[in-house]
Amino acid sequence: MDLTLNDEQQAFRDLARDFLDREAVPHRTQWDRDEQVDLEIVPKMAEIGFFGLTIPEEYGGLGGDYLTYVLGMEELGRADSALRGIVSVSNGLFGKSVLGFGTEEQKQEWLPQIASGSVLGCFGLTEPDTGSDAGNLTSRARRDGDDYVLNGQKLFITNGTWAKVALVFARTSDDGPRGVTAFLVPTDTPGFEAREVKGKLGLRGQATAELFLSDVRVPASARLGDEGQGFKIAMTTLDKGRVSVAAGCVGIVQGCLEESVSYATSRRQFGKPLAGFQLVQELISDMSVDADAARLLVWRCADLIDRGEPFGTAASKAKLFASEAAVRAANNAIQVYGGAGYVDEYPAQKYLRDARVMTLYEGTSQIQKLLIGRAETGVNAFV
Ligand code: COS
């Protein structure tokens, strides 16, 4: 694994950081208070290329390797995890499912719109009664002539109220995970309704929705993959999604580190900067080690993906470590800031609130541990 970035990768990272420092960082506190990022930033982010990363040029994307993608996710996580989520779900969970499993027509229809940011996609897997146990989801898709008719409910769907298209996982037979099928559903289809979930601890600037599907009729050509292939599509895509979340968490740790160093070297107590106290240095040192370790785990995943090697267990390790590290780092950053860390004039408390969901979504820390444990022992603790 080559640990040096090439000129193109470095240039993209610099471009992304410069853009986000200008267009996102000065506004993130207000967006968080308003519970809504300014969506004007979406086309600007598309211009930088965030929505086109890893989507081949023939479908309007930037192409590029997975390492460049995770560099982008790290910069988004450092600036504002709400923005990282918008990209990770539209380009990542939605786009990568279409790219990996779509027909040529489906790729031509959706990927250029995703890459240009003119359309946001969402990923409808989780339901009120099935979170970790995704293979037992209960939404239904009934075949009716040349169509399918979908009924059910989805919960905690990032981009849900903004998306023009939803990837919906629904049951076409009662065969557990093997009875799940995926559908590409335009959100203006009659019977499709998205309602905003308010009152979140973090990621407040990002739309999170509950989806209601009531006799939503789509043509058979909207089916992604074969009948019964849906769970595999979801799991394959989530493996990459976990790398994306982990990369965003590296950005959170890095942001906490930079902010803490800045505050500790300027704020004075007992006649010297906070940075002069050994216990403060310990907090900062822990963040620095976590940033390096999490980044290396993420880069290893990107390297495996770019070389076409299996990466599922590596993704679980990266997601587990980086998300827990993000919570640790944000907690430590608040400790460095003291009382100032408790108010939103400084970013530490937003980092903590945003980090907290990272150990929950796209597979909780417990799910990642069981996947790693299964890979190590060969024993399946899920059954
Ligand atoms: N990649 C490809 N295929 C996979 C896969 C993966 N990562 N994981 C499972 N599959 C396949 C299996 O190979 C199996 O296929 P076959 O029927 O051909 O044998 C099928 O999916 C069912 O597998 P199984 O029943 O063994 O499921 P698992 O035990 O692997 O999955 C867990 C159980 C709990 C690990 C899974 O449901 C999970 O990851 N849950 C968390 C879901 C989640 O992250 N939700 C949050 C969503 S936020 S968008």
Side-chain angles (χ1 to χ4, degrees):
M1 180 176 150
D2 183 1
L3 292 179
T4 53
L5 300 179
N6 65 32
D7 288 350
E8 265 176 53
Q9 290 159 341
Q10 212 145 9
F12 182 78
R13 186 177 61 179
D14 294 347
L15 179 74
R17 179 171 288 214
D18 177 61
F19 167 81
L20 291 164
D21 277 347
R22 273 185 294 109
E23 298 283 345
V25 170
H27 308 293
R28 63 186 172 191
T29 303
Q30 197 56 48
W31 294 341
D32 187 63
R33 288 178 183 168
D34 294 345
E35 291 193 58
Q36 162 91 40
V37 302
D38 179 355
L39 283 174
E40 296 275 305
I41 196 166
V42 168
K44 293 183 194 168
M45 282 163 58
E47 235 169 84
I48 297 294
F50 285 114
F51 291 99
L53 290 168
T54 74
I55 294 180
E57 288 174 21
E58 60 186 298
Y59 302 117
L62 274 191
D65 53 20
Y66 215 81
L67 186 53
T68 307
Y69 180 78
V70 298
L71 294 173
M73 295 309 111
E74 176 180 337
E75 292 309 320
L76 285 163
R78 173 183 170 274
D80 187 347
S81 290
L83 297 181
R84 202 272 307 153
I86 296 171
V87 178
S88 271
V89 170
S90 195
N91 167 308
L93 295 184
F94 180 88
K96 287 178 175 52
S97 296
V98 174
L99 187 60
F101 296 93
T103 61
E104 190 53 37
E105 290 70 35
Q106 288 168 333
K107 291 182 202 174
Q108 295 284 359
E109 179 175 9
W110 293 114
L111 293 178
Q113 303 190 74
I114 291 292
S116 71
S118 59
V119 157
L120 292 179
C122 68
F123 187 82
L125 178 67
T126 298
E127 299 185 349
D129 291 329
T130 51
S132 293
D133 191 9
N136 273 318
L137 60 84
T138 60
S139 290
R140 288 255 158 207
R142 174 176 54 82
R143 184 84 197 220
D144 184 25
D146 288 340
D147 299 336
Y148 285 91
V149 179
L150 276 60
N151 281 283
Q153 206 173 322
K154 299 287 171 182
L155 188 60
F156 301 138
I157 308 303
T158 300
N159 291 346
T161 50
W162 296 336
K164 291 267 183 351
V165 59
L167 179 57
V168 174
F169 295 89
R171 184 163 294 293
T172 43
S173 82
D174 287 327
D175 194 15
R178 287 159 203 93
V180 174
T181 304
F183 298 91
L184 295 163
V185 183
T187 56
D188 60 0
T189 310
F192 186 104
E193 192 194 344
R195 288 186 210 149
E196 185 89 31
V197 173
K198 286 285 183 188
K200 286 174 295 180
L201 177 68
L203 298 184
R204 292 164 71 90
Q206 170 190 101
T208 303
E210 197 165 2
L211 307 182
F212 298 87
L213 297 111
S214 163
D215 287 333
V216 173
R217 183 174 285 275
V218 292
S221 60
R223 195 185 66 217
L224 186 72
D226 296 331
E227 275 201 12
Q229 206 190 358
F231 187 72
K232 206 162 250 191
I233 293 174
M235 290 300 115
T236 305
T237 304
L238 275 174
D239 282 343
K240 284 193 176 158
R242 288 166 184 165
V243 179
S244 191
V245 172
C249 290
V250 174
I252 293 177
V253 180
Q254 182 65 35
C256 288
L257 173 63
E258 290 172 19
E259 296 290 341
S260 297
V261 168
S262 159
Y263 193 73
T265 49
S266 56
R267 163 102 171 153
R268 297 176 72 84
Q269 291 290 281
F270 301 102
K272 62 178 184 177
L274 294 184
F277 292 93
Q278 291 180 349
L279 294 177
V280 173
Q281 287 207 0
E282 183 186 37
L283 294 167
I284 288 173
S285 160
D286 286 352
M287 288 180 220
S288 178
V289 175
D290 271 348
D292 282 1
R295 188 176 292 111
L296 287 172
L297 286 170
V298 167
W299 285 21
R300 176 175 65 162
C301 293
D303 180 58
L304 289 169
I305 294 170
D306 283 332
R307 288 191 291 109
E309 298 285 334
F311 65 95
T313 307
S316 286
K317 290 180 185 176
K319 203 276 187 177
L320 171 64
F321 184 84
S323 61
E324 297 288 345
V327 174
R328 257 193 320 271
N331 235 335
N332 280 355
I334 291 179
Q335 206 63 26
V336 171
Y337 272 85
Y342 202 64
V343 291
D344 71 3
E345 190 185 335
Y346 294 99
Q349 53 84 36
K350 179 177 183 312
Y351 277 132
L352 180 64
R353 289 187 289 102
D354 289 347
R356 196 59 193 80
V357 77
M358 309 294 168
T359 70
L360 304 175
Y361 70 3
E362 299 205 27
T364 61
S365 289
Q366 287 71 22
I367 290 286
Q368 307 312 331
K369 285 180 185 174
L370 293 178
L371 286 168
I372 297 162
R374 181 166 77 180
E376 290 290 352
T377 64
V379 177
N380 185 3
F382 294 110
V383 289

